[in-house]
Amino acid sequence: KNEVEQSPQNLTAQEGEFITINCSYSVGISALHWLQQHPGGGIVSLFMLSSGKKKHGRLIATINIQEKHSSLHITASHPRDSAVYICAVGTSGSRLTFGEGTQLTVNP
Amino acid sequence: GAGVSQSPSNKVTEKGKDVELRCDPISGHTALYWYRQSLGQGLEFLIYFQGNSAPDKSGLPSDRFSAERTGGSVSTLTIQRTQQEDSAVYLCASSLGGQGAYEQDFGPGTRLTVT
């Protein structure tokens, strides 16, 4: 079993739909990261959180430490949101452990 | 300001040759990470530098891989006697601090192809 599991692996939505991507982890963490990787390969950090909820524009990230679960929500999705979304956890050591990623496609 | 830069952006090399990949982190970032992403695979941790502390090399896949960080800034990842399975995108990231508890800024990556 991977230490970080994401679901779904692939997600196709219509423009305007509300999207949720889930991440579960099995280890104690210092922080959880959500990353976005566009088709060109560049990676952008979206959120880093260790408790509660954060919001940037149409993106919302939540984390439940007790349940070892985080969700990334996208409201009013747009084709430009199409990308791979990656959950990663930082542990007491130095490394990040990554989920396999969720491929999101938003159709116009 | 300037982000994390990596060079070269693409590298094609013959099996058995050595390669050096370079990373310039954001100025003032004390932590520097190297990751690898093989085709169709997830991100894989390779090595981590934090200030003057000994690097965490626990992710390096073999002793053909090594990395150094000079003066707490620029880092080079060296792969000796490259193999075809080394073909991947090598990503560098830096952050204000370590322990995975700070947002990381990623470079554009170096795409390595071993023929």
Side-chain angles (χ1 to χ4, degrees), chain B residues 87-110:
Chain B
S87 295
V89 175
Y90 289 81
L91 290 151
C92 175
S94 70
S95 62
L96 281 170
Q99 300 289 314
Y102 292 80
E103 284 202 19
Q104 297 187 15
D105 290 284
F106 284 79
T110 293

Side-chain angles (χ1 to χ4, degrees), chain A residues 19-22 34 46-47 59-61 70-74 85:
Chain A
I19 287 162
T20 296
I21 300 170
N22 295 298
W34 282 103
L46 297 175
F47 295 102
L59 301 178
I60 303 165
S70 175
S71 293
L72 176 68
H73 306 286
I74 305 175
Y85 292 83

Side-chain angles (χ1 to χ4, degrees), chain B residues 17-73:
Chain B
K17 301 282 190 186
D18 298 352
V19 295
E20 271 194 4
L21 312 180
R22 177 186 168 106
C23 172
D24 282 89
I26 291 174
S27 178
H29 280 194
T30 62
L32 186 148
Y33 303 80
W34 282 98
Y35 301 103
R36 177 169 75 172
Q37 188 172 36
S38 302
L39 186 63
Q41 302 296 311
L43 284 155
E44 174 189 12
F45 166 83
L46 296 178
I47 188 169
Y48 157 75
F49 297 90
Q50 171 59 47
N52 295 320
S53 302
D56 176 356
K57 304 178 183 180
S58 58
L60 295 178
S62 79
D63 59 9
R64 296 185 295 104
F65 287 72
S66 63
E68 61 179 26
R69 189 179 185 191
T70 53
S73 181

Side-chain angles (χ1 to χ4, degrees), chain A residues 80-103:
Chain A
R80 65 176 174 266
D81 297 326
S82 298
V84 175
Y85 292 83
I86 302 167
C87 172
V89 297
T91 62
S92 58
S94 52
R95 61 169 61 199
L96 284 184
T97 302
F98 298 88
E100 293 297 314
T102 295
Q103 173 69 62

